[in-house]
Amino acid sequence: VVRVELEFCDVVNGGRFSACSSAIVEIQLKDGTMHQDLGTGSIENARTRHEAIEKVKKEAITDARKRALKNFGPYLGNSLYDRNTMQRLEGEYRKLVMAQNAERRRVKSTSAATAPAAPMTPAPAATTAATTTAAAAAATVTTPGRPMSRGTMNCVVAAAKATGAQVCGGGAVR
């Protein structure tokens, strides 16, 4: 978050509050690619001043983050709500898991009695465009009223780990 600014907070209609806020969010990947965007938030008829300010700031930051993330490619825009796109991502996740399981079986069978198995490295399938751009998808699909399925969450988290992003609690990506 580069900047959050309260544009106005006025008292209207017998003690109710209306407010508007703007925020600028910058997202930078490990490879240096950076996108920055502006988001806004507004509310009318909030019960308290604190409620109005808190809500508009959160909304502005969320809006700016989504706008900045969609600049990284189609997998981080509104296509996250498209069933076909998510099925394609989940299919790639399944391929990644199958490749990792096959590698584990191969390593286990070749070194069963000798040295301990080497740590797993991501399969080549993890470097596709879909999984690379899915690294930050968790941040955009956690919109209230639209919960993420377990399969989708696993897909996004695996893609994020494969691309070297940090995964926080709940699948959020840094």
Side-chain angles (χ1 to χ4, degrees):
V1 177
V2 175
R3 180 178 58 88
V4 178
E5 191 171 300
L6 183 64
E7 303 296 333
F8 70 86
C9 185
D10 297 332
V11 179
V12 293
N13 297 345
R16 295 289 183 141
F17 293 87
S18 291
C20 181
S21 179
S22 64
I24 296 176
V25 171
E26 179 180 286
I27 298 175
Q28 184 171 6
L29 301 180
K30 287 183 177 181
D31 68 358
T33 308
M34 188 266 302
H35 288 289
Q36 187 177 46
D37 215 322
L38 172 74
T40 60
S42 63
I43 190 170
E44 294 181 6
N45 293 322
R47 285 179 271 157
T48 65
R49 179 179 172 85
H50 172 74
E51 176 187 0
I53 292 172
E54 180 181 15
K55 194 255 182 204
V56 298
K57 285 184 177 182
K58 284 181 184 178
E59 186 176 330
I61 291 169
T62 300
D63 186 41
R65 181 181 59 206
K66 287 181 178 182
R67 288 171 175 263
L69 283 170
K70 76 177 182 178
N71 291 323
F72 285 104
Y75 288 103
L76 299 178
N78 288 332
S79 63
L80 285 171
Y81 301 116
D82 178 31
R83 174 173 276 155
N84 294 332
T85 301
M86 295 315 297
Q87 286 175 346
R88 188 169 47 249
L89 283 174
E90 288 175 2
E92 289 188 21
Y93 170 71
R94 282 190 206 98
K95 289 178 189 175
L96 173 67
V97 169
M98 289 172 51
Q100 287 178 341
N101 288 341
E103 178 66 17
R104 282 189 190 112
R105 284 192 297 272
R106 186 189 66 76
V107 168
K108 188 175 181 180
S109 67
T110 59
S111 63
T114 60
M120 284 296 300
T121 58
T127 60
T128 63
T131 54
T132 302
T133 57
T140 61
V141 295
T142 54
T143 304
R146 287 185 176 258
M148 192 181 332
S149 71
R150 177 173 281 211
T152 303
M153 174 64 80
N154 290 340
C155 172
V156 170
V157 170
K161 286 180 181 177
T163 59
Q166 293 179 335
V167 181
C168 310
V173 178
R174 286 190 217 187

